[in-house]
Structure formats: structure tokens, C-alpha cells
């Protein structure tokens, strides 16, 4: 039976109309977009679950903050408000705004990585992996084995495999590991959280070998909520204290603020030690790539909304509702026997398309196939997190096989209602009922060399 839907802790003041095309129109639109969901116009999507990034609804306070934003080039009051909030929440000595997560990665990765070096993560997000590779280094994913069995309901499937991490360090030599990155929550494994215990262990290993530890903090608040809910000893600890403890184990963080900070644009870099020599290098890279270090590629109004969003994103009532949405949708899929990465994660439901379409091989992209079916079925836009997104081996050019073939239903924050979630569940149930008739997947007819899934063109494989 579906779990109880946790009511929205807000009411709606401003609305955006939605339009549903006919099935025939949707089939034409997706063919016109060369079967790439990124190629669709948003007005042609009824429910847009492409990403939870930058698609959040801002609050009354944030919109009011937009008007108060100080647009000075240097030393704006909005900048000081932001760094005060950042220092307060993370207990870090230095906070640097940037325009989004990948900008933080662009600034930071070359400071630690170069040709011949390795970076290890519980799982790299695609842009993070790309910036490791752009810096000349190799990215190694090292998630716990439990993550790979989507039906296994155990907590903290986002964790790092600490035994394997030590093995990787000894294999490649500690001097060649430029950086360890903890992605919280672990997006590519299904928005799965990392436990405090695991963070502590990874931190101890990094200290032992003298390797810097970075948090990829896009969904740090959802991660803290899971620790509170599921980890022994944290039930009565405020989310903010959990965050401070978690960040205390790392040396720095890079953050896309377009997720848990509930804004439409923004990012942050943090450095724990206010006297770290790293800070001057970050400022130098920022000034070259992003803008002066007191605005980092953002308008004053963005800095202001970000400062407010940092606090709204860690509100425990909000987080209960937020994670409750995922639980509600997941429970509707449970009722219908539809497989997904379980227990459900923090920012979306990751449907296991390899289970829905066992007849479609990884190199015909089951996750992408289901995403296309969902659009045709009900105008729902989602995306593949699988072999299609992973791409080709940079050395051999061969298609890599991903650990998962997910269709990600990423839920924007404070945007969709229970009725929308029901429509999503019902569309999946319809597709599941005719899944056997979908015999073949898709092939790529054109692709760019890096981050191909944003732009690639596909066609159906005819049986
Ligand atoms: N790290 C993680 C874990 C992410 O999920 C993302 C973005 C980034 C870094 C990069 O941040 O987009 O602000 O430059 N993820 C989005 C997604 C795009 O759809 O999952 P960005």
C-alpha cells in the first residue's frame, strides 16, 4: 500500500500553466529531438523530471531577497550575508561563491590533479568525472557492492567501499592519488546517502596517506536527513549539527547550490582551514574563470537568494516532506512490482530499466529507452543514468558498460504535487504492462567526444 503523502509545508502563490500534447504530437517531438530528451522544448513536457538541478521553486523570502541583492562588483552586502551563512552551517574558514557546481570543479580539480594522477570517489557525477579527465587525471569509482543490487534494501548504499579504497591507494601509490571525493548523496548510485561512519572511515584513510578529501556537496542536506533518520545515535541530533560533523571530516567541498540550496543558479567552494594556502589559488582561478571572488560569476541577487536558500534547505520539516515525496512515489512502484534503486534515495526515483527491459542490451540503452517511452506515454521528461550517459572508454573508444541502467525521475524541489506523482506512477505501470513488446532499444547516430548524452542523436534499432 502506498505510504502516506506528507503534506507540503507551504502553499502556492505563483503558478505556471502546464500543457499536455497528444500522443501523436509527443511522438513527433521526440523524433524531432533525435530521441534525446535534452533536445525537447520544456513547453512540450507535461511533467519535467529531467533534473532536480536549478528547477526548484524559490520561496517568498528568496524572491524578497532578490530585490535586496547588492549588485556591487566587490564586497557586496549579499556576499557577506552568503559567507556568514556558509561559515555558520559548515563551520568552514573560507567560502567562495561560483556560478554552479561544475564551475567549482573547474576551479578546484586542476589544483590537485594532472596527468598520471588518480581521483577516487564513491561515485563521480558526470561533470565531476569530466573535470578530473580535463585535468589529465583518471577517475575511479569505488562505491560499496550493496549499491549494485538495486533490490537490496539496506541503508547507506552511497558509501565508499573503504577496503577497496585502501587497495586502490596501495596499487597506484599514495603520491599518485591527487584527491578523494565523497559525493553526498551519491547521485549516480540513485541519490543514495553516505553514513557518518563511512565518512569517518574515509577521512581516517585520507589522513593516514596524506590525501586531501573533498565533499561533492550538491545534496548534503538530504544526506544529513538520512543520517538523522537511519543512523544509530543521530535521531535526536539537529540536521545542522550533523552537517557540521560531516564537513568536519573533509578538507574542502565543491557544491552545486542548484540542488539542496533551493536556488535556480549558484555554487560554492568551501575550505575548512581559513589559513590554507589553497585559498589564494582558488581566488586566482576564480578571478580568471568566474569573476572577482566576492561574486564568483553570480549576480548580487543570486548571492542573496543563495544565502537564504542555505537555511531553507536544512529545515527539518521541509526535508521530511521532500524525502516523503520520494517515499510516496517509490511505494506506488512497489505496489506495481516496478524495480528501482531501493530503498529510495533523496532526490528522485531511479527506475531499474534493465529489470523492466531484460531483452534490451546495455549498448541499446535500456535507461534511455524507458525515458523515451515515458515521454511518449505521458509527456514526462526524465533521463538515462546508465551506459548511455557513461559514454565510451577514453582510450579504446568502446562503449562502456555501466553498473546500472537507470531511468532517473528527478523531482524538482517544492514544484510538483501528489497528483503529479500519481500520474508518473500510472505512466510507469502502463509501460510495465507492455514492456515485453518493446523489443529493441536505440543506437547513437552522432555523438560529441565528451559528456555526450547532452547532445547525442539517436535512432530506434529496428528489429
Ligand atoms: N555534483 C553532483 C553530485 C551533481 O549531481 C551535479 C549536477 C554536479 C556536481 C554539477 O553541478 O550542474 O551545478 O554544474 N547534477 C545535475 C543533475 C545536473 O541533473 O544531477 P552543476
Amino acid at each position: 500500500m502506498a505510504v502516506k503523502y506528507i503534506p507540503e509545508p507551504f502553499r502556492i502563490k505563483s503558478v505556471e500553466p502546464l500543457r499536455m500534447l497528444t500522443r501523436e504530437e509527443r511522438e513527433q517531438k521526440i523524433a524531432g529531438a533525435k530521441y534525446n530528451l535534452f533536445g525537447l522544448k520544456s513547453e512540450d513536457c507535461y511533467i519535467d523530471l529531467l533534473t532536480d538541478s536549478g528547477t526548484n521553486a524559490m520561496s517568498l523570502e528568496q524572491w524578497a531577497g532578490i530585490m535586496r541583492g547588492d549588485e556591487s562588483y566587490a564586497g557586496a552586502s549579499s556576499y557577506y550575508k552568503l559567507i556568514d551563512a556558509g561559515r555558520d552551517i559548515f563551520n568552514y574558514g573560507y567560502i567562495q561563491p561560483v556560478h554552479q557546481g561544475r564551475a567549482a570543479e573547474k576551479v578546484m580539480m586542476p589544483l590537485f590533479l594532472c596527468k598520471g594522477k588518480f581521483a577516487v570517489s564513491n561515485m563521480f557525477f558526470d561533470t565531476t568525472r569530466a573535470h578530473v579527465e580535463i585535468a589529465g587525471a583518471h577517475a575511479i569509482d569505488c562505491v560499496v557492492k550493496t549499491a549494485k543490487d538495486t533490490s537490496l534494501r539496506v541503508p547507506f548504499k552511497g558509501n565508499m567501499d573503504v577496503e577497496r579504497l585502501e587497495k586502490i591507494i596501495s596499487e597506484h601509490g599514495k603520491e599518485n592519488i591527487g584527491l578523494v571525493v565523497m559525493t553526498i548523496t551519491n547521485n549516480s548510485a540513485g541519490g543514495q546517502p553516505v553514513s557518518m561512519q563511512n565518512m569517518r572511515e574515509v577521512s581516517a584513510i585520507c589522513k593516514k596517506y596524506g590525501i586531501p578529501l573533498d565533499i561533492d556537496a550538491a545534496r548534503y542536506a538530504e544526506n544529513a536527513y538520512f543520517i538523522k533518520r537511519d543512523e544509530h545515535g543521530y535521531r535526536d541530533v539537529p540536521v545542522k549539527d550533523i552537517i557540521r560533523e560531516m564537513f568536519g571530516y573533509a578538507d574542502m567541498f565543491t557544491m552545486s547550490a542548484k540542488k539542496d540550496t533551493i536556488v535556480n543558479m549558484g555554487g560554492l567552494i568551501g575550505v575548512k582551514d581559513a589559513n590554507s594556502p589553497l585559498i589564494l589559488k582558488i581566488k586566482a582561478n576564480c578571478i580568471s574563470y568566474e569573476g572577482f571572488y566576492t561574486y564568483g560569476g553570480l549576480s548580487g541577487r543570486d548571492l542573496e537568494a543563495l544565502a537564504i536558500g542555505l537555511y531553507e534547505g536544512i529545515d527539518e520539516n521541509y526535508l521530511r516532506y521532500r524525502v516523503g515525496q520520494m517515499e510516496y512515489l517509490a511505494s506506488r512502484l512497489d505496489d506495481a512490482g516496478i524495480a528501482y534503486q531501493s530503498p529510495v534515495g533523496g532526490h528522485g526515483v531511479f527506475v531499474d530499466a534493465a529489470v523492466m527491459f531484460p531483452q534490451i542490451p546495455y549498448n541499446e540503452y535500456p535507461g534511455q529507452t524507458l525515458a523515451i517511452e515515458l515521454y511518449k506515454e505521458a509527456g514526462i521528461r526524465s533521463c538515462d543514468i546508465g551506459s548511455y550517459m557513461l559514454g565510451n572508454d577514453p582510450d579504446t573508444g568502446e562503449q562502456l558498460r555501466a553498473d546500472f541502467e537507470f531511468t532517473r525521475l528527478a523531482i524538482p524541489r517544492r514544484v510538483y504535487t501528489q497528483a503529479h506523482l500519481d500520474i508518473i506512477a500510472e505512466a510507469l505501470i502502463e509501460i510495465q504492462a507492455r514492456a515485453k513488446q518493446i523489443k529493441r532499444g536505440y543506437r547513437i547516430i552522432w555523438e560529441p567526444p565528451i559528456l555526450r548524452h547532452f547532445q547525442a542523436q539517436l535512432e530506434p534499432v529496428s528489429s
Side-chain angles (χ1 to χ4, degrees), residues 320-333:
R320 188 174 312 112
Y321 142 79
R322 164 79 180 148
V323 174
Q325 278 205 321
M326 309 311 139
E327 287 175 334
Y328 175 79
L329 179 54
S331 74
R332 292 233 35 205
L333 303 194

Side-chain angles (χ1 to χ4, degrees), residues 51 100-102 105 125 127 187 216 219 256 259 408:
T51 177
Q100 64 181 90
R102 66 201 71 180
E105 293 155 9
F125 180 66
T127 61
N187 182 5
D216 179 346
R219 299 179 182 86
S256 167
K259 283 84 169 171
R408 183 182 74 168

Side-chain angles (χ1 to χ4, degrees), residues 150 190 329 333 338-341 348-357 366-367 370 374 382-385 404-409 424 428 432:
T150 57
L329 179 54
L333 303 194
I338 294 172
Y340 60 91
Q341 176 63 295
V349 176
F350 288 58
V351 180
D352 192 335
V355 173
M356 187 172 291
F357 301 127
L370 178 55
L374 261 174
S382 57
C383 75
D384 168 281
I385 304 262
F404 309 104
E405 301 296 346
F406 288 135
T407 300
R408 183 182 74 168
L409 313 171
I424 299 162
L428 278 166
Q432 161 111 328

Side-chain angles (χ1 to χ4, degrees), residues 113-187:
L113 300 170
C114 58
K115 208 167 169 1
K117 296 254 183 197
F118 296 83
V120 190
S121 176
N122 53 337
M123 269 185 112
F124 284 102
F125 180 66
D126 57 352
T127 61
T128 325
R129 172 183 295 277
H131 278 290
V132 168
E133 288 169 2
I134 291 166
H138 276 280
I140 304 175
D141 285 337
C142 187
V143 72
V144 285
K145 287 192 192 73
T146 52
K148 305 208 173 147
D149 180 353
T150 57
S151 65
L152 191 66
R153 295 202 176 196
V154 295
F156 302 111
K157 284 165 84 171
N159 281 350
M160 182 86 81
D161 181 339
V162 284
E163 259 175 50
R164 207 178 139 226
L165 173 63
E166 288 228 60
K167 257 194 220 144
I168 292 169
I169 296 170
S170 67
E171 247 170 55
H172 295 288
K174 62 179 184 194
E175 63 289 353
N176 294 320
I177 311 289
L179 198 62
V180 169
V181 180
M182 277 296 253
T183 309
I184 63 170
T185 58
N186 186 329
N187 182 5

